[in-house]
Amino acid sequence: MVDVAVWDGLLRRHVDGEGRVDYAAWQGHGAEELEGWLAAQRPFDPDPGTGPEAFALWINLYNALVIRQVLARFPLASIRPSIAGVPNWPAFLAFFSRPVISLQGQPLSLDRIEHGLLRPRFADPRFHFALVCAARGCPLLRPEAYHPERIAAQLEEDASRFLRNPLKLRFDPVRRTLHCSRILQWYRRDFLAAAPTIAAYVGRHRPDLDLPADVRIAWLPYDWALNG
């Protein structure tokens, strides 16, 4: 089993109950610890199967690599940089597409971890409520690591927290419109593998909304500001 004690301790020190990260404190007192923990993962086989230990490790690793990239650039206002007010899309895409770690000699990017490993192997779309891209629009970072023996319960908590956050999801009964985070749009295929419609998926986690059969879906603006 991979030891996540260091990563867990860093999260508990630098992330609050609202998922906000104290990057300044982490950069000054914890960046080297994070590097050491990531270095310790390099012997890990990047093709470990589909069990709960692998599931927990890949989520922990993804979030840790995002934090490391932010710490290397901090201070910054957003992971989506801009030039004269215009989004710098090449730099933004490079944040996710360039290799950020090598495991067993295999270079891996954030995109490779998410789209090449997590999405094909784990038929549980709740992990989309656990992966954190360091933006306010993404899921809240848990102030603890994911653990194999608890990951199902942790992901259920993440899904509930995300879908009960009015900045990520809200229902207008007058207009019969369900306003959803774009995460549910971008990864629609994954959610529709678990439910016939987006509304049906939401309804499983939010039966209190009592969504009508003809509910409309509208997509909320995505907030790319740093989750600091």
Side-chain angles (χ1 to χ4, degrees), residues 131-142:
L131 294 188
V132 176
C133 70
R136 291 178 185 170
C138 68
L140 302 176
L141 186 61
R142 290 181 74 94

Side-chain angles (χ1 to χ4, degrees), residues 176-197:
R176 306 172 78 84
T177 300
L178 184 65
H179 298 268
C180 300
S181 163
R182 289 193 179 273
I183 286 175
L184 292 161
Q185 179 187 35
W186 296 334
Y187 302 107
R188 185 186 195 98
R189 185 181 68 185
D190 297 349
F191 293 107
L192 293 182
T197 64

Side-chain angles (χ1 to χ4, degrees), residues 26-99:
W26 199 329
Q27 188 181 59
H29 304 281
E32 289 185 5
E33 284 183 75
L34 178 58
E35 287 294 338
W37 184 78
L38 287 168
Q41 309 315 310
R42 286 175 186 150
F44 176 77
D45 185 351
D47 187 14
T50 58
E53 184 173 354
F55 201 9
L57 176 67
W58 286 120
I59 296 174
N60 286 324
L61 193 60
Y62 183 98
N63 289 344
L65 290 167
V66 167
I67 294 293
R68 183 176 71 172
Q69 292 209 88
V70 173
L71 292 178
R73 296 163 174 78
F74 193 80
L76 73 167
S78 171
I79 64 164
R80 189 181 70 175
S82 61
I83 301 174
V86 178
N88 183 347
W89 293 112
F92 172 72
L93 295 174
F95 185 92
F96 296 97
S97 62
R98 71 172 176 225

Side-chain angles (χ1 to χ4, degrees), residues 159-179:
S160 178
R161 183 163 69 159
F162 189 92
L163 296 173
R164 292 182 183 278
N165 183 337
L167 298 177
K168 310 293 175 61
L169 184 133
R170 58 181 181 268
F171 175 52
D172 182 343
V174 174
R175 294 179 171 81
R176 306 172 78 84
T177 300
L178 184 65
H179 298 268

Side-chain angles (χ1 to χ4, degrees), residues 89-136:
W89 293 112
F92 172 72
L93 295 174
F95 185 92
F96 296 97
S97 62
R98 71 172 176 225
V100 288
I101 197 169
S102 179
L103 299 181
Q104 299 282 37
Q106 179 178 336
L108 296 174
S109 65
L110 293 172
D111 277 347
R112 172 64 178 154
I113 293 172
E114 181 178 9
H115 303 295
L117 296 170
L118 280 165
R119 293 184 71 193
R121 294 184 185 181
F122 301 98
D124 186 341
R126 292 178 301 177
F127 80 80
H128 290 300
F129 305 128
L131 294 188
V132 176
C133 70
R136 291 178 185 170

